[in-house]
Amino acid sequence: MNEFEAGRPVVLRGGTVLPMSPRGSRRVLPRTDVLVTGDRIAAVGPELEAPEDAVVIDASGGLVMPGMIDTHRHMWQTALRGYGADWTLTQYFVWFYLEHGKLFRPEDIHAGNTLAAIEALDAGVTTVVDWSHGLRTVDHADAAADALESVPGRYVLAYGNIQQPPAAWTAAPEFRDFVRRRVTGGDMLGFQIAFDVLGDPSFPERPAFEVARELGAAVTTHAGVWGATSDDGIRLMHEHGFMTPETIYVHAASLSADSYHRIAATGGSISVSTESEQSAGQGYPPTWAVRAHGIPVSLSMDTSVWWSGDLFSAMRATLGADRSREHLEAHAKGETVTHAGLRADQVVEWATRGGARALGRDDLGVIEPGKKADLVLVKNEHSPVSFPILNPFGHVAFQAQRGDVHTVIVNGRVVKHEHRLLGVDLAGARAGVERTVEHLRSTMGDEAWEKGMNPDIPSAKVLDNPYTYTDYRSDATHRL
């Protein structure tokens, strides 16, 4: 019998369970079992009785948490992992939007999505919103969907096209045909429409919103991105009645209090990509401001063309940025922060139940009987950082990393066990990405390829130092 054959029950024994329940997100259940039957969590409790054929996974000494949910990742760009490490947002826009984004063939979209999907599972991210704005043709869209369906995770295809105005591509008959063919309402592959609102007073994005409304699809949009999208876009959406509880506002890092009030009043949520906002320049990561408005938050990684693809990094960076700003604001007023406003359990919630809430999935992001069996066991017996676990939420947010992900279960299926992925073709993914890199490099030419990866370094002047008028060593010797 295959140890993890389809339909076989699984029981995680004796772990410290973080249920992330709405009844109390700080609850911790020590020495607790989680039984999975089919695609659901069947029971949670100590020393559970399990079917005789159940696979037993020893979770003692580890943490069992819901599968993490990334609400905004440009998966197609993963084929260029790390290429833009030294970019600003301007260089990103120039490279992908203006110069080289059109070079991506359908097979390149497939390669990036496949690698990104595998990478997500490896890091315990069981659901990813593929903010897929490289879909220049329906062939590209089919390639994106094919890739997502080939990897045993849970995904939402957020359809976008940066090469055309949203009113144009959402009106195309081939787009409607794609939706008819591929958006089946299935459990494992959801659908959103992805486009940005640029603030033009004529509101040219209105037709795209109307298409989304007609199709019953949520809209995800990059809002509050410095120099690109602003309060005007939020105001136009609000005045025309297109801000809904299903809308996800990505970044929202350079918005005014008025925009945050509009988002809060209409029930939307914000996807924070802290590593991105810190490095690229969309604005300061906004959780320190968003918390004051009571807006639901989820976390995301944006793109592996710059940053890591795991939410451990996102949690860590978000705590650091929020607390740093809290201290900075207090110091500017001559005050001292004595109690941190953002806690570790809150970012763990944002990485799990927060993402589920943003996607309208109350069956994800929690560990309770009857919920979907998307689970992660964080355990690494070969790491000195795996013990002691005194503060489970602090351990997840500050100590754990992707290498500590021992077991991942998606929809009741074990897709990673004992730190090794199961049922994925990593060699095939590598070969696909290598072909994409070769295609891009040969098409661009070596000079353009190298220039794109190594933007000019701005000149910097060292400040004049008033204390360099003498040599303190010789002066001190002279005084002796």
Side-chain angles (χ1 to χ4, degrees):
M1 178 182 291
N2 179 5
E3 185 179 18
F4 296 118
E5 67 180 355
R8 189 175 179 188
V10 176
V11 60
L12 298 161
R13 288 282 190 203
T16 296
V17 175
L18 309 182
M20 308 312 300
S21 169
R23 294 175 295 175
S25 61
R26 290 184 60 87
R27 291 175 65 221
V28 174
L29 306 177
R31 296 179 297 282
T32 295
D33 303 341
V34 179
L35 174 63
V36 173
T37 60
D39 63 353
R40 301 280 173 170
I41 297 169
V44 179
E47 301 180 357
L48 293 175
E49 289 188 16
E52 290 184 1
D53 63 338
V55 177
V56 178
I57 296 175
D58 180 11
S60 61
L63 299 167
V64 181
M65 60 184 289
M68 289 175 275
I69 299 173
D70 184 327
T71 53
H72 155 245
R73 186 181 303 199
H74 305 298
M75 297 176 73
W76 63 291
Q77 297 173 355
T78 304
L80 287 179
R81 182 191 309 287
Y83 180 89
D86 294 320
W87 283 353
T88 62
L89 193 61
T90 299
Q91 287 147 351
Y92 171 85
F93 284 150
V94 169
W95 203 98
F96 277 110
Y97 285 59
L98 301 179
E99 292 184 345
H100 305 303
K102 294 179 181 180
L103 297 179
F104 282 74
R105 307 163 298 178
E107 54 263 46
D108 303 319
I109 300 293
H110 189 281
N113 271 27
T114 301
L115 181 59
I118 294 172
E119 174 186 29
L121 290 181
D122 187 57
V125 180
T126 54
T127 301
V128 183
V129 174
D130 175 23
W131 223 102
S132 199
H133 58 352
L135 306 184
R136 296 191 297 112
T137 70
V138 170
D139 288 341
H140 289 74
D142 277 317
D146 288 345
L148 298 180
E149 290 179 340
S150 73
V151 180
R154 197 183 298 276
Y155 309 99
V156 176
L157 178 64
Y159 194 118
N161 179 2
I162 57 177
Q163 303 301 334
Q164 289 185 354
W169 58 261
T170 56
E174 54 268 28
F175 170 73
R176 297 288 188 130
D177 178 65
F178 174 86
V179 174
R180 179 187 59 79
R181 289 186 294 107
R182 303 303 298 260
V183 181
T184 62
D187 183 45
M188 301 304 291
L189 183 62
F191 183 72
Q192 295 177 349
I193 297 180
F195 60 88
D196 297 338
V197 182
L198 302 182
D200 183 332
S202 67
F203 195 42
E205 299 86 5
R206 182 185 186 111
F209 277 108
E210 291 173 339
V211 169
R213 178 171 289 174
E214 177 190 344
L215 296 175
V219 170
T220 176
T221 184
H222 293 113
V225 174
W226 181 262
T229 56
S230 66
D231 292 314
D232 288 336
I234 298 295
R235 177 180 54 77
L236 288 165
M237 290 175 63
H238 190 252
E239 290 176 351
H240 289 85
F242 290 111
M243 296 179 73
T244 73
E246 296 75 35
T247 307
I248 298 177
Y249 306 87
V250 177
H251 300 307
S254 52
L255 295 176
S256 67
D258 180 74
S259 289
Y260 290 139
H261 283 310
R262 293 177 193 259
I263 294 171
T266 53
S269 64
I270 290 176
S271 176
V272 176
S273 302
T274 303
E275 284 191 320
S276 178
E277 292 131 20
Q278 285 178 322
S279 180
Q282 293 93 338
Y284 197 91
T287 56
W288 66 281
V290 169
R291 289 190 289 112
H293 292 83
I295 301 172
V297 173
S298 61
L299 299 183
S300 59
M301 288 312 307
D302 204 340
T303 170
S304 290
V305 79
W306 260 298
W307 304 289
S308 63
D310 71 83
L311 292 190
F312 295 109
S313 294
M315 288 184 277
R316 188 170 299 124
T318 301
L319 276 171
D322 191 291
R323 291 176 177 180
S324 176
R325 187 62 182 252
E326 191 173 28
H327 289 300
L328 183 67
E329 295 289 324
H331 295 173
K333 296 182 288 187
E335 299 173 354
T336 298
V337 175
T338 59
H339 294 74
L342 183 64
R343 302 302 179 98
D345 67 284
Q346 290 174 274
V347 295
V348 177
E349 180 189 357
W350 290 346
T352 53
R353 190 159 58 89
R357 184 193 303 114
L359 299 180
R361 294 291 301 262
D362 63 4
D363 57 346
L364 301 178
V366 295
I367 301 179
E368 289 183 344
K371 304 299 185 181
K372 284 288 187 176
D374 289 9
L375 301 166
V376 173
L377 170 60
V378 178
K379 177 178 177 178
N380 190 345
E381 295 176 336
H382 304 289
S383 170
V385 185
S386 65
F387 61 88
I389 299 177
L390 306 177
N391 179 341
F393 295 105
H395 197 92
V396 170
F398 277 130
Q399 306 297 324
Q401 54 188 318
R402 67 162 63 239
D404 299 322
V405 174
H406 179 282
T407 298
V408 179
I409 300 174
V410 183
N411 209 42
R413 175 181 177 181
V414 178
V415 299
K416 183 179 183 181
H417 183 55
E418 294 183 343
H419 306 282
R420 296 185 67 86
L421 289 164
L422 308 175
V424 300
D425 182 8
L426 192 58
R430 181 193 296 271
V433 166
E434 287 174 348
R435 289 192 293 269
T436 290
V437 171
E438 175 57 30
H439 160 68
L440 293 172
R441 185 164 191 160
S442 62
T443 304
M444 292 170 58
D446 287 344
E447 183 177 355
W449 174 267
E450 293 296 330
K451 183 177 180 180
M453 188 164 42
N454 299 289
D456 294 336
I457 301 175
S459 59
K461 183 181 182 298
V462 177
L463 296 175
D464 293 334
N465 188 333
Y467 300 105
T468 59
Y469 63 90
T470 186
D471 186 331
Y472 74 91
R473 289 178 295 270
S474 60
D475 186 59
T477 302
H478 177 74
R479 285 200 303 270
L480 289 175

